Amino acid sequence: MEQNVMDISVVIPIYNEAENLETLHRRLTESVSALTADYELIFVNDGSRDDSLPRLRMLAAADPHVFYVNFSRNFGHQIAVTAGLDYARGQAVVIIDGDLQDPPELIPELYRKYREGYEVVYAQREKRKGESWFKKATAKWFYRILRRITNIQIPVDTGDFRLIDRKVVDCLKRMPEKNKFLRGQIAWIGFRQAAVMFERQERLHGKTGYPFAKMLKFALDGITGFSDKPLAWVTKAGFCISALSFVIILYALCSHFIFKQTVSGWTSIIVSSMFLGGIQLFSLGIIGEYVNRINKNVLNRPLYIVESTNAETDGF
Ligand code: UDP
Ligand code: MG
């Protein structure tokens, strides 16, 4: 591993944020340069289809603090952040969104807490502005359910906007899982953790890169990565349904052989077979999620492919 030469690295995943880049760069520079002159801004271009890459190249040409890592295609937000962490050389590393929903002006406050001796300082949302009620409601419930079914304390209402110490970055690099759920992994790693409250802003320009399908995949990665409870539910449900089936079989046999009643029970057959079919498919789906996870890890493909970069380290 190369020596870590920076005080602060800022990691910013970028997916179609061309219009935000200039403001983002200016506000980040204002906040971070007030803390130290020894910093770097690492933009990870996650296969943007707009002008993000040429604009990043322009920023990098004009400002020696700017580095970019350009992926060969869209690999997803969590992987973009992971790549940024691989390249970061800072003693303290800030992870922040590129759409200015996370205000860069909070970084000095995160840094102050870090200097008090916390290895993880996460920004917790007091309010969320400009997001649909659906997103707010699903996010709220997701964090609360996750908290219930996992054994680790993942803070609620907290995204990836946070400052982490070099120690934590190095621990993250030692976690080889392919399905990344960084906020869970960081909670799992431990160390001293503190929260700073903030108000999440509206996205400056553009639209969300997290449509429902991506949100669902992300939620499943969080659950399957940090909880075995769904598997236990499947086992319990299977057990209860087997017990119930046993009673029904007894009843069927008695009515046939003892009471000599042959029931013309179309409705009961339809209802029970639909019910059982549903439960079985759902259970298979849950098991499939875990099998898929195993499969990804067995395939052991690289997490991302870098097409070009001006970063000085090779990332690994
Ligand atoms: N992002 C990314 N790859 C993706 C989707 C999003 O790198 O496939 C970046 C995006 O540019 C932003 C951050 O991840 O910096 C958060 O994404 P977004 O704002 O779209 O999500 P939301 O805030 O709506 O949950
Ligand atoms: Mg956003």
Side-chain angles (χ1 to χ4, degrees):
M1 190 62 222
E2 303 78 12
Q3 74 277 39
N4 302 307
V5 287
M6 298 279 160
D7 282 340
I8 303 180
S9 299
V10 183
V11 169
I12 316 115
I14 297 294
Y15 179 60
N16 298 344
E17 308 284 8
E19 285 176 287
N20 296 325
L21 282 176
E22 204 173 310
T23 319
L24 177 68
H25 172 253
R26 181 177 47 77
R27 286 173 58 184
L28 279 172
T29 304
E30 278 166 13
S31 302
V32 182
S33 64
L35 300 170
T36 174
D38 194 19
Y39 70 93
E40 62 182 358
L41 308 177
I42 302 179
F43 295 86
V44 183
N45 180 35
D46 184 14
S48 298
R49 292 163 209 270
D50 64 356
D51 277 347
S52 294
L53 180 63
R55 295 204 190 183
L56 282 176
R57 288 216 166 102
M58 262 154 55
L59 285 178
D63 178 357
H65 295 286
V66 171
F67 295 95
Y68 66 85
V69 177
N70 182 43
F71 280 178
S72 60
R73 64 170 171 86
N74 178 251
F75 281 89
H77 165 233
Q78 295 287 297
I79 295 181
V81 175
T82 306
L85 295 178
D86 287 342
Y87 281 88
R89 291 171 293 169
Q91 278 305 321
V93 180
V94 176
I95 303 169
I96 189 168
D97 278 358
D99 58 358
L100 291 163
Q101 283 198 285
D102 304 333
E105 291 70 27
L106 199 73
I107 294 175
E109 212 174 314
L110 299 177
Y111 196 66
R112 207 170 311 128
K113 267 267 186 260
Y114 164 75
R115 295 298 290 261
E116 283 172 23
Y118 294 96
E119 279 90 359
V120 177
V121 188
Y122 53 87
Q124 198 162 25
R125 308 187 261 251
E126 231 162 358
K127 271 194 194 150
R128 303 171 74 120
K129 277 195 192 163
E131 285 175 309
S132 66
W133 67 267
F134 180 74
K135 178 129 189 169
K136 286 186 197 166
T138 44
K140 184 171 174 206
W141 281 103
F142 170 64
Y143 286 114
R144 278 150 187 83
I145 291 171
L146 195 65
R147 196 189 183 92
R148 283 226 149 170
I149 66 174
T150 54
N151 303 324
I152 46 163
Q153 291 300 309
I154 300 174
V156 295
D157 303 331
T158 304
D160 287 324
F161 184 24
R162 58 187 67 206
L163 186 153
I164 56 181
D165 184 70
R166 167 60 36 194
K167 275 185 267 183
V168 179
V169 177
D170 290 340
C171 291
L172 279 172
K173 288 190 188 176
R174 284 169 45 210
M175 295 175 84
E177 60 231 63
K178 304 289 176 190
N179 302 63
K180 299 290 181 190
F181 186 69
L182 291 166
R183 55 199 77 168
Q185 290 174 250
I186 293 172
W188 182 90
I189 288 170
F191 291 114
R192 277 153 297 186
Q193 311 220 352
V196 167
M197 305 305 288
F198 83 113
E199 211 172 275
R200 189 155 158 98
Q201 303 300 310
E202 276 176 55
R203 174 177 252 291
L204 188 65
H205 293 289
K207 61 177 188 351
T208 176
Y210 260 101
F212 184 69
K214 271 193 191 172
M215 257 163 64
L216 193 66
K217 180 185 174 297
F218 180 64
L220 283 173
D221 280 340
I223 292 170
T224 53
F226 291 93
S227 176
D228 298 335
K229 292 238 170 84
L231 288 175
W233 296 337
V234 168
T235 314
K236 280 184 198 152
F239 185 77
C240 293
I241 290 169
S242 305
L244 192 68
S245 309
F246 183 70
V247 174
I248 293 173
I249 289 168
L250 272 186
Y251 168 76
L253 289 176
C254 288
S255 57
H256 186 73
F257 289 111
I258 303 174
F259 308 121
K260 306 280 184 208
Q261 300 172 319
T262 313
V263 196
S264 59
W266 182 81
T267 315
S268 61
I269 287 177
I270 282 293
V271 168
S272 59
S273 64
M274 294 302 275
F275 176 70
L276 280 179
I279 294 270
Q280 279 171 349
L281 274 184
F282 183 66
S283 309
L284 266 181
I286 290 180
I287 296 166
E289 287 299 328
Y290 287 90
V291 174
N292 184 28
R293 242 185 120 77
I294 300 172
N295 185 38
K296 280 225 175 95
N297 285 288
V298 171
L299 282 174
N300 200 21
R301 290 186 183 145
L303 257 189
Y304 52 86
I305 306 289
V306 174
E307 193 219 37
S308 56
T309 173
N310 71 333
E312 284 159 15
T313 55
D314 65 2
F316 300 100

